[in-house]
Amino acid sequence: MRVLSGIQPTGRFHWGNYFGAIKQYIELQYENDGFYFIADLHALTTIRDPAVLRANVRDAALDLLALGLDPSRATLFVQSHIPEVSELYWLLMTGTPMGLLERCVAYKDKMARGIRADAGLFSYPVLMAADILAYDSQCVPVGEDQIQHIEVCRDLAGSFNHHYRDTFVIPAARVLQESAKVPGTDGQKMSKSYDNTLALFEEPKELRKKIMRISTDSRPMEEPKDPDSDDLYQLYSLFATDEQREEVRALYLKGGFGYGEIKKRLADAADVFLEPLRIKRQTLAQDEKLVNNTLEAGAKRAREVASSVLHRAQSACGLRV
Ligand code: ADP
Ligand code: TRP
């Protein structure tokens, strides 16, 4: 099955990105034909510093490779390296009702906050539809926040197929488990926009400091506590073995522990998990050409598919014979 997803290079990936999305993309690469891309065109709606964007794309690629995305199994590429997507975007734009985009949350939220949106943000879901349709994607794993965009994609593909002729494969969303669930350091959902993230490749000492600063309630030491409603326990569970988790769970239920102790355990468990990944990333980063070569090979493979889909769409709407 063709599985496709994109992730924006808007900063260093954090625990929420990994456990909510990247980990699951990587698992899907074994049984499927995975297409994964770094959505630099979408990132242009927020990053307008060329040096930052360039560095972020390289960092994103290195992070994904270090985390286990395997270019011999899945196709890893950069969105803007496939110009066919931008052409397809225009074909889709001409069949997109304004009202459909006015209802999309990214745009609606910005307007509600009194921020003037640009046309790029307004039409963002159409570019996303082009990303998906260009590769005949059947399944699109995304977090809950993106479901609306997949619906838009299905609508646009359906009406194109109906108006012209059957051209696009209609994709299905696959809601990622745990998405929207990893809590940040302040009790809200972990997100770059809330400045409450724990980055995966954070420098270890800095990470430990940030963990020690995670906000907790003012429960007295001796009082028992429900682990399932506690953010620190949720974070610990991401890294702990079953045995470790059960031990800490029992501590919560019994009471008589301090949060400092749990934070220390969390930092230790995270370190055990992250240290081999850090080493792998450092090794990959030493090979100057590796990222470029990988992304070039990925783009070549992706373009083969996208150009044949674009050709199909152009013929359907009369731009070609
Ligand atoms: P951010 O909110 O930090 O800007 P993105 O919106 O770029 O993150 O998210 C990229 C992917 O990571 C999406 O699929 C999203 O669902 C997932 N994700 C982001 N934050 C979390 C979180 N706290 N818990 C689970 N998944 C998350
Ligand atoms: N908009 C998605 C996000 O912010 C990223 C993305 C762009 C994407 N194009 C896509 C995801 C196509 C899935 C399919 O997370």
Side-chain angles (χ1 to χ4, degrees), residues 5-24:
S5 202
I7 190 153
Q8 290 197 49
T10 43
R12 297 307 299 273
F13 294 137
H14 54 71
W15 294 6
N17 298 142
Y18 178 68
F19 290 100
I22 298 167
K23 180 170 184 255
Q24 298 173 62

Side-chain angles (χ1 to χ4, degrees), residues 207-208 211-212 262-272:
L207 179 62
R208 199 164 276 267
I211 290 174
M212 296 319 277
I262 308 292
K263 288 178 180 175
K264 193 174 164 305
R265 287 191 195 220
L266 168 61
D268 291 344
D271 213 41
V272 168

Side-chain angles (χ1 to χ4, degrees), residues 23-276:
K23 180 170 184 255
Q24 298 173 62
Y25 300 161
I26 291 170
E27 282 160 6
L28 287 166
Q29 75 183 347
Y30 296 101
E31 305 272 310
N32 299 283
D33 182 12
F35 270 47
Y36 299 116
F37 66 91
I38 299 167
D40 59 345
L41 294 176
H42 278 108
L44 271 181
T45 61
T46 45
I47 302 180
R48 300 185 56 82
D49 177 332
V52 171
L53 185 58
R54 226 171 269 132
N56 282 6
V57 169
R58 183 179 161 79
D59 277 333
L62 277 171
D63 284 4
L64 292 170
L65 294 171
L67 292 168
L69 207 138
D70 177 356
S72 71
R73 292 181 185 277
T75 305
L76 174 64
F77 59 101
V78 177
Q79 185 182 30
S80 66
H81 294 179
I82 321 295
E84 287 79 4
V85 167
S86 301
E87 292 194 35
L88 196 54
Y89 160 74
W90 181 254
L91 301 192
L92 296 170
M93 278 292 274
T94 57
T96 306
M98 296 290 282
L100 190 66
L101 298 183
E102 276 159 4
R103 289 194 292 276
C104 284
V105 282
Y107 168 75
K108 224 165 71 175
D109 278 4
K110 228 175 187 175
M111 295 305 275
R113 283 186 281 140
I115 306 168
R116 285 175 70 166
D118 55 41
L121 184 75
F122 184 65
S123 60
Y124 173 122
V126 186
L127 180 60
M128 201 165 145
D131 286 327
I132 297 168
L133 302 175
Y135 308 104
D136 284 337
S137 314
Q138 294 160 292
C139 168
V140 188
V142 283
E144 259 167 62
D145 54 327
Q146 298 294 323
I147 303 285
Q148 186 185 35
H149 296 150
I150 311 296
E151 284 306 318
V152 169
C153 173
R154 288 164 57 87
D155 268 16
L156 297 181
S159 52
F160 190 101
N161 286 354
H162 180 72
H163 185 80
Y164 296 111
R165 60 174 183 238
D166 258 350
T167 304
F168 297 123
V169 172
I170 310 281
R174 175 183 166 130
V175 190
L176 296 169
Q177 297 150 21
E178 282 203 89
S179 64
K181 279 203 197 125
V182 177
T185 52
D186 60 354
Q188 302 184 79
K189 174 193 163 182
M190 187 179 288
S191 169
K192 275 166 300 217
S193 343
Y194 304 144
D195 200 15
N196 64 356
T197 62
L198 297 164
L200 280 166
F201 292 100
E202 183 88 73
E203 198 276 314
K205 269 198 195 136
E206 194 50 39
L207 179 62
R208 199 164 276 267
K209 268 196 222 154
K210 283 194 181 163
I211 290 174
M212 296 319 277
R213 287 200 298 261
I214 292 175
S215 54
T216 46
D217 59 31
S218 50
R219 171 201 68 109
M221 272 270 276
E222 49 298 338
E223 210 174 276
K225 176 131 176 82
D226 173 23
D228 297 320
S229 59
D230 185 68
D231 286 350
L232 201 51
Y233 180 78
Q234 302 308 321
L235 291 171
Y236 183 66
S237 301
L238 299 173
F239 298 102
T241 61
D242 291 349
E243 211 174 295
Q244 288 173 321
R245 192 168 37 232
E246 283 316 309
E247 197 185 317
V248 166
R249 194 177 175 81
L251 264 183
Y252 269 75
L253 297 171
K254 189 160 126 277
F257 67 95
Y259 285 121
E261 190 186 333
I262 308 292
K263 288 178 180 175
K264 193 174 164 305
R265 287 191 195 220
L266 168 61
D268 291 344
D271 213 41
V272 168
F273 180 86
L274 295 170
E275 184 57 14

